Amino acid sequence: MRAYDREDLLFQLFDVARVDTIIEGTDLDREAVLGILDTADQIATDYYLPHAHEIDEHEPVFDNGRAILPDVVKPAVDAFVDGGFLAAPFSPDHGGLGLPETVHQAASFVFSTANISIKGYAMLTIGAGRLIQSFGTDDQKTRYLHPMVEGRFFGTMCLSEPQAGSSLSDITTKAEPMEDGRYRISGRKMWISAGEHDLSDNIVHMVLAKIPGGPPGVKGISLFIVPKIRLDGARNDVTLAGLNHKMGYRGTTNCALNFGENGDCIGELVGEPHKGLRYMFQMMNEARISVGMGATALGQAGYQAALAYAKERPQGRSPKAKDPTSSQVSLTEHADIRRLLLAQKAAVEPALALALFCAVLVDRHRAGDTDALTLLDVLTPVAKSWPSEFCLEANKHAIQVLGGAGYTRDYPVERHYRDNRLNPIHEGTHGIQGMDLLGRKVLMQNGAGFAALVGAIRQDIAASGHALGPDLATAVDRLEEVTRSLAAQVIADPERGLANATLYLDFTGHVVMGWMWLRIAAAASLRAGQDGDSDFLKGKQQAARYFFARELSRTDGWARTLMANDQSAFDMDPAWF
């Protein structure tokens, strides 16, 4: 059984995201896209899904400086590489296939629903490779990027340190210049996903470090390529100090790495000195959108498992049934089970629509639309954090549908929940994303990003003519009013102004998801007018109505709280806890 709804994915890709407009003028057509997704589906079904439980139960083991993975991981990764999916998003100039980002992300969704742990190795490699593609020298691209595209080298991002966490201005990893232009790297990095494994010939670590004498704080951070094995075949001085044992994503190694314990760790500068954090933001933002897609995939996998169980499981009778000897009804006949299922559907489907919309913006930017990047910037914290919070809530509902069976390991829904619980934390916590949205993204370029967001929503409201449009327009009006008020307070007093940034992120996210539901519902209406209505399309309209009635309505109360700029949490003295 698939861990996702194939019909919904195709509807989202072709009817909502309108991928036809992206592939127009390329070598791809609809049949080619379907073929790519068929291949992804086959690999995911054969190599990813069957082993999701096994690698969760038997996580990687630390053994004398090595990370030992279950045997089933490498064949799955090899199948992904052999299928062309690692090379897919890279430019043909560097050995890639040049696949549009929208198609690439749709395929990624398929793999992530099947087994998020295995998918992590490729996601980080693609991000690291793109970093070299954007900022590396031609020589670095030849020596590092090309083997990564081929799947012979994998990659990581090394930011956090034990004493610094998310506060990158406090990192202490050093890069001492050498006479030959390279650098001697020394320091410790923590929480490095895919930091050690035997899945590839080499691992290319993208490391943030400070060159002595540089500016203090984040302005003194530079970016370095630090391979596990030097290209002359000698082992670089990168040591696995230990593995972190997580509640989820257990199949992805999460490492503590020591660089230069013996004074012999060599790295290469990427780009200019002291601009490393600016470069790394490319990979960080890509990873944040990927985290949102992963959270969506886990929500979708949980929903499909809960839906299948509810359809097959007989349980109880209708409240109107008087005869205790009558046959039991399926779980789907109970109103509260339908509520739990509908809540999941109402969360995971607009989250997928947003992830694909972000990919469309990437493709539009590559085609020369400079405004697309402005809109993508303001949507990135929402695309990362809303699914991480509310698709996690969907996973909670999936467990509830199964009842006692839901929290046993006999069923996958408890694993989906544990996997998804990491997503509100990694690649920037929910709170950090809120501060990024309110403190940076809505203020940047004199509010150009926020204006682009509001303009895009209003354009779709006008174009759709859908009955949900007026309610969404009212929510957008509230969002504008709240944003003006909070932005002024952030400028006047950043500390107090950002005290409610997390609630503002949830508020903005709900409005954005209302927008996504409008796009879905409008596409469903158009399809029904062309091909006739169906249960599938009726389900879209009903889920949209549910979201507007149960979720978008919550923004009214949030707006009142935000307009009042309640400071009860900020004014809580730490001693009072």
Side-chain angles (χ1 to χ4, degrees):
M1 184 181 87
R2 293 189 182 105
Y4 71 101
D5 183 338
R6 170 82 169 189
E7 186 176 9
D8 177 61
L9 177 60
L10 298 183
F11 172 79
Q12 295 256 18
L13 188 60
F14 289 100
D15 293 74
V16 183
R18 298 183 61 204
V19 73
D20 287 333
T21 63
I22 300 297
I23 62 177
E24 188 176 3
T26 72
D27 294 335
L28 293 175
D29 58 16
R30 184 184 180 94
E31 290 306 312
V33 171
L34 291 174
I36 290 167
L37 295 179
D38 286 342
T39 302
D41 187 86
Q42 191 64 57
I43 295 171
T45 300
D46 291 347
Y47 291 95
Y48 277 57
L49 189 59
H51 306 300
H53 179 75
E54 179 181 350
I55 67 172
D56 180 71
E57 289 286 297
H58 304 286
E59 59 187 312
V61 175
F62 179 80
D63 181 25
N64 193 29
R66 296 177 60 215
I68 309 300
L69 278 65
D71 292 340
V72 297
V73 177
K74 185 166 174 51
V77 171
D78 288 347
F80 183 92
V81 172
D82 293 342
F85 291 99
L86 188 61
F90 290 100
S91 166
D93 293 341
H94 303 116
L97 304 180
L99 199 67
E101 186 69 9
T102 310
V103 180
H104 164 61
Q105 288 298 333
S108 294
F109 175 75
V110 172
F111 289 107
S112 294
T113 60
N115 194 321
I116 196 77
S117 288
I118 295 179
K119 176 62 174 57
Y121 295 98
M123 186 269 284
L124 288 158
T125 302
I126 290 169
R130 281 172 162 171
L131 203 54
I132 298 172
Q133 180 176 270
S134 295
F135 305 110
T137 65
D138 289 341
D139 184 50
Q140 287 171 337
K141 293 172 187 177
T142 298
R143 291 184 291 118
Y144 295 106
L145 174 58
H146 289 188
M148 294 170 80
V149 173
E150 293 169 359
R152 294 189 293 111
F153 292 5
F154 275 21
T156 74
M157 56 193 303
C158 297
L159 288 74
S160 298
E161 297 180 5
Q163 80 292 341
S166 298
S167 181
L168 294 178
S169 63
D170 295 313
I171 67 170
T172 59
T173 298
K174 290 193 303 183
E176 300 272 3
M178 298 170 61
E179 291 183 359
D180 62 4
R182 297 182 300 169
Y183 290 77
R184 203 171 295 279
I185 310 296
S186 60
R188 298 184 297 161
K189 295 292 182 179
M190 176 60 88
W191 312 115
I192 309 306
S193 295
E196 174 60 29
H197 55 75
D198 291 325
L199 301 175
S200 58
D201 297 340
N202 205 349
I203 301 175
V204 179
H205 301 291
M206 306 303 296
V207 179
L208 292 183
K210 293 182 176 179
I211 300 172
V218 295
K219 293 182 179 179
I221 294 176
S222 299
L223 176 64
F224 298 87
I225 293 172
V226 184
K228 170 184 172 180
I229 300 171
R230 297 176 201 162
L231 300 189
D232 62 5
R235 179 68 188 250
N236 212 356
D237 189 8
V238 181
T239 305
L240 176 64
L243 295 176
N244 300 304
H245 299 285
K246 307 159 296 177
M247 68 183 291
Y249 278 75
R250 289 180 174 178
T252 306
T253 58
N254 190 275
C255 307
L257 298 177
N258 293 342
F259 294 85
E261 276 188 322
N262 302 304
D264 193 28
C265 180
I266 308 300
E268 298 181 27
L269 179 69
V270 177
E272 298 179 36
H274 316 313
K275 293 187 178 180
L277 187 57
R278 181 171 71 83
Y279 301 150
M280 184 60 86
F281 260 113
Q282 173 183 295
M283 187 173 179
M284 290 166 64
N285 285 329
E286 287 181 5
R288 285 169 176 173
I289 294 173
S290 293
V291 165
M293 178 63 95
T296 301
L298 288 165
Q300 170 73 226
Y303 170 51
Q304 292 304 314
L307 180 60
Y309 184 90
K311 286 180 176 180
E312 297 171 0
R313 168 72 174 177
Q315 179 74 54
R317 295 161 185 84
S318 164
K320 295 188 296 185
K322 304 301 183 182
D323 182 2
T325 65
S326 63
S327 299
Q328 295 190 80
V329 298
S330 71
L331 279 175
T332 54
E333 295 299 315
H334 297 286
D336 197 56
I337 297 298
R338 292 201 294 272
R339 174 188 68 84
L340 291 168
L341 293 170
L342 191 51
Q344 293 172 68
K345 181 181 178 69
V348 300
E349 292 188 8
L352 176 57
L354 178 59
L356 292 175
F357 182 76
C358 288
V360 167
L361 291 176
V362 172
D363 286 325
R364 280 169 43 186
H365 174 65
R366 290 175 181 170
D369 183 352
T370 56
D371 293 335
L373 189 60
T374 301
L375 181 54
L376 180 62
D377 280 342
V378 79
L379 281 174
T380 295
V382 177
K384 188 273 180 187
S385 273
W386 197 94
S388 297
E389 283 287 307
F390 294 98
C391 291
L392 173 66
E393 187 80 357
N395 288 131
K396 184 189 80 172
H397 294 326
I399 292 174
Q400 196 73 14
V401 168
L402 270 68
Y407 50 69
T408 69
R409 294 193 178 184
D410 297 326
Y411 294 88
V413 290
E414 65 86 29
R415 183 183 76 246
H416 297 144
Y417 184 90
R418 285 188 289 102
D419 285 341
N420 222 350
R421 186 59 188 86
L422 275 63
N423 288 319
I425 295 176
H426 69 190
E427 302 305 338
T429 66
H430 194 52
I432 286 173
Q433 300 304 319
M435 289 189 287
D436 179 49
L437 177 64
L438 180 57
R440 293 183 63 248
K441 297 301 174 59
V442 303
L443 299 176
M444 67 183 186
Q445 302 176 31
N446 295 318
F450 182 75
L453 172 62
V454 170
I457 298 174
R458 288 209 165 110
Q459 183 178 18
D460 279 349
I461 292 172
S464 71
H466 197 278
L468 296 174
D471 286 343
L472 182 57
T474 299
V476 173
D477 289 342
R478 283 197 297 263
L479 177 61
E480 280 197 297
E481 182 183 18
V482 168
T483 302
R484 282 194 299 268
S485 175
L486 289 183
Q489 294 176 54
V490 169
I491 293 170
D493 184 350
E495 193 169 23
R496 282 189 172 273
L498 291 171
N500 290 308
T502 303
L503 181 59
Y504 176 77
L505 174 62
D506 291 343
F507 173 40
T508 305
H510 265 55
V511 175
V512 168
M513 292 304 161
W515 174 30
M516 292 297 112
W517 265 121
L518 177 73
R519 290 169 58 85
I520 293 169
S525 294
L526 182 61
R527 171 79 79 82
Q530 295 170 341
D531 302 334
D533 215 348
S534 64
D535 288 342
F536 174 79
L537 297 175
K538 289 175 182 176
K540 300 297 181 198
Q541 302 290 2
Q542 186 67 9
R545 287 190 286 269
Y546 173 91
F547 185 88
F548 273 63
R550 300 288 186 100
E551 294 296 333
L552 190 64
S553 59
R554 296 170 68 185
T555 61
D556 187 20
W558 291 345
R560 288 195 296 271
T561 301
L562 290 166
M563 286 298 293
N565 197 21
D566 170 58
Q567 294 287 311
S568 55
F570 183 85
D571 291 333
M572 179 71 178
D573 191 292
W576 300 345
F577 286 106

